[in-house]
Amino acid sequence: MNNTWLIRGGTVCTPDGMQQADLLVDNGCITAVGEGLTAPGAQEVDATGLLVMPGFIDIHTHGAVGVDMNGADKEGLAKVSAFFASQGVTGFLPTLLTDSHEALLQYVHTIGMAAPEITDGAAVLGIHMEGPYLCAEYKGAMPEHLLQTPDFSKFMQYQKASGGRIRRMTVSPEVEGVAHFIPKAVAEGVSVSIGHSGADYDTAWEAIRSGAACATHTFNAMKLLHQHFPAISGAVLESDIYAEAICDGIHLHPGTVRILLKAKGLDRVIAITDSIMAAGLGDGRFKLGVNDVIVKNGDAILADGGSRAGSTLTMSRAFANLRRFTGLPAFELAKLLSANPADLLGLGGRKGRILPGYDADLTLITDEGAVSATFVEGRQVYSAG
C-alpha cells in the first residue's frame, strides 16, 4: 500500500510560525516541509485554504458518542477513537473516574489490551486515572464512598493490569500519604497531576516539589486564590507545572482563560475536553462512571444537581473557542493543543509538532474549526469528503 502523501498548498503551523507550504509524509513520518515539493507516485491532498496543524492530543477525556471510559470495551474505544479523529484528535488518554478497586482493575486491563489494536482513528496513548486518591470536599463528580488514601501496592496492581499503560494520575495533595506516593509513581514513569483539591499553598507546593507536573482542570474542583490564602490555585499559577484548561466557555470564562495564559505562558497550558459520553450527541440523560448525568444546553450536571460533571466539548471546538477567546494565531495555539500535552507525556521528541522526522500526526482544519482530514502516523484516519 502506498504510504507516501503529499499535502499541497496549506498554511502549515510550524513551531516557528505559519507558512504556505507543501508537506511530504513517508513511512509514517514528516520528511519535508517547503514550497514546490514533488513526490512521484505519492497520494496527494489539496490543503488550499486549510490550516495544517499538528494533531490534537486530549489527555483528559471520559468518553464520547455514547461511550463511557469506565467500562468501555474494545468496540467502544474504537468508536470513540473514530469520532475523535473527526475532531482533529490524533492521540488521547482514556480517563477513568474513581470506581471500586475491582472495577478499576478491569477497566485498565481492557483499555491496556485494546490500545495497540485501535488503528483506524485517534491513537490510545495511555490511560489517565482521575483518582481514587482524592479529597471528599472537592470531589466534584467523584463518588465519595470510593475515595481512598494512596496504596502504592494497589496502584502497581493497576499498572500491571494495564500492561504498563497508565501514563497519568490525578491526586489531591492534602490526602494523607500523597506526598510520599508522588515520587514513587513518577519513578514508574507516571505523570502526576494535582486537582480535586482544597489544599493550602504550602501543601500544594509540597506536592509540586515531590514531582507533580500538572494541575487537573485548573480552577475547577479546586480551592481558588485569595489574597491572604493563595491555596492550590496560587501554587499552580506561581509554579512552572502545566495547567489543564477546559475551554468550553462554561468551565472557564474567556477572561479567565486569558488570565491563565498570561500567568502561565503558552508553554505551560494544556487544552483538554474532560468530555463525557454525551460529547457528539445532544442533550439528555447519560452516565459518568457510577453517576447519572443530565446534559442541558450542552452543560453536563450530576442528576442530583450537586456538581458539574465533565463537558460535551470536542478538541476542534476547543480550538475554535481559543481562537475566539484569545485572537492568537494557530501556530501558538498548537502549543496548547498538541506540543504541550506531548511534552507532558514524554512524547515531545516525536509528536506534537510539524517538523521533519516527527510522526505524521496531522489535522487539516479551517480557521473556524471544521476538520477536513486527520492523519495518524501517516495513515489517513478521517476525511470530511
Side-chain angles (χ1 to χ4, degrees):
M1 181 179 177
N2 187 351
N3 57 0
T4 302
W5 292 86
L6 183 58
I7 301 171
R8 288 194 173 282
T11 302
V12 181
C13 299
T14 73
D16 296 325
M18 321 274 281
Q19 63 180 98
Q20 290 296 127
D22 303 331
L23 194 68
L24 185 59
V25 171
D26 190 35
N27 289 319
C29 291
I30 299 165
T31 58
V33 180
E35 295 183 16
L37 297 180
T38 60
Q43 302 178 81
E44 294 197 12
V45 176
D46 183 3
T48 303
L50 297 172
L51 298 168
V52 182
M53 298 186 67
F56 304 151
I57 300 174
D58 190 357
I59 63 172
H60 189 156
T61 168
H62 296 279
V65 288
V67 178
D68 183 14
M69 297 303 184
N70 281 47
D73 57 14
K74 179 183 172 182
E75 290 69 28
L77 284 170
K79 183 178 180 181
V80 171
S81 168
F83 173 72
F84 283 168
S86 76
Q87 304 301 308
V89 176
T90 55
F92 67 104
L93 297 187
T95 299
L96 297 175
L97 199 79
T98 292
D99 212 316
S100 70
H101 178 64
E102 295 73 22
L104 288 172
L105 278 174
Q106 182 58 53
Y107 301 157
V108 298
H109 176 73
T110 299
I111 296 171
M113 296 307 102
E117 301 179 24
I118 307 295
T119 58
D120 292 330
V124 179
L125 298 176
I127 298 168
H128 173 200
M129 294 186 68
E130 194 174 7
Y133 312 140
L134 302 174
C135 81
E137 184 181 2
Y138 286 81
K139 65 182 184 297
M142 299 294 160
E144 185 171 346
H145 69 287
L146 295 173
L147 299 177
Q148 305 171 29
T149 55
D151 182 328
F152 191 69
S153 64
K154 275 189 176 181
F155 170 75
M156 289 307 294
Q157 290 179 43
Y158 299 139
Q159 188 65 296
K160 182 178 179 181
S162 75
R165 294 186 184 277
I166 298 172
R167 303 295 300 270
R168 296 189 70 210
M169 189 169 202
T170 295
V171 299
S172 300
E174 68 268 44
V175 170
E176 183 180 357
V178 160
H180 297 292
F181 172 83
I182 291 173
K184 293 180 180 179
V186 171
E188 293 295 327
V190 177
S191 177
V192 176
S193 189
I194 52 176
H196 285 277
S197 173
D200 62 32
Y201 174 81
D202 292 333
T203 303
W205 261 110
E206 183 182 10
I208 293 167
R209 293 188 180 105
S210 295
C214 189
T216 295
H217 42 54
T218 307
F219 303 138
N220 289 280
M222 180 182 291
K223 191 173 183 65
L224 299 179
L225 174 72
H226 182 281
Q227 72 268 29
H228 299 307
F229 309 102
I232 180 175
S233 295
V236 169
L237 291 176
E238 183 187 7
S239 70
D240 289 331
I241 67 172
Y242 290 95
E244 289 184 356
I246 309 173
C247 299
D248 59 356
I250 298 172
H251 285 78
L252 298 173
H253 185 281
T256 305
V257 173
R258 292 190 292 271
I259 291 167
L260 182 62
L261 287 168
K262 188 96 170 179
K264 297 294 295 180
L266 290 168
D267 293 327
R268 282 295 179 268
V269 177
I270 295 175
I272 60 161
T273 63
D274 197 11
S275 64
I276 67 170
M277 66 188 303
L281 305 176
D283 291 351
R285 299 184 71 93
F286 300 93
K287 297 290 288 188
L288 173 58
V290 300
N291 299 302
D292 292 312
V293 176
I294 296 175
V295 175
K296 185 176 181 180
N297 298 323
D299 193 7
I301 304 291
L302 289 177
D304 64 11
S307 171
R308 188 160 275 130
S311 86
T312 60
L313 185 65
T314 65
M315 287 295 272
S316 60
R317 286 214 329 267
F319 167 67
N321 289 344
L322 282 163
R323 291 295 301 267
R324 190 169 66 254
F325 294 171
T326 68
L328 291 171
F331 83 95
E332 293 192 330
L333 294 178
K335 295 179 181 180
L336 282 64
L337 298 154
S338 306
N340 296 347
D343 289 348
L344 177 69
L345 297 178
L347 302 174
R350 62 185 181 92
K351 291 186 181 292
R353 296 168 175 86
I354 294 181
L355 289 170
Y358 271 60
D359 290 347
D361 295 345
L362 304 167
T363 297
L364 279 58
I365 191 169
T366 68
D367 276 313
E368 295 75 30
V371 177
S372 177
T374 305
F375 292 81
V376 174
E377 295 184 4
R379 302 184 310 277
Q380 186 169 17
V381 295
Y382 173 75
S383 172

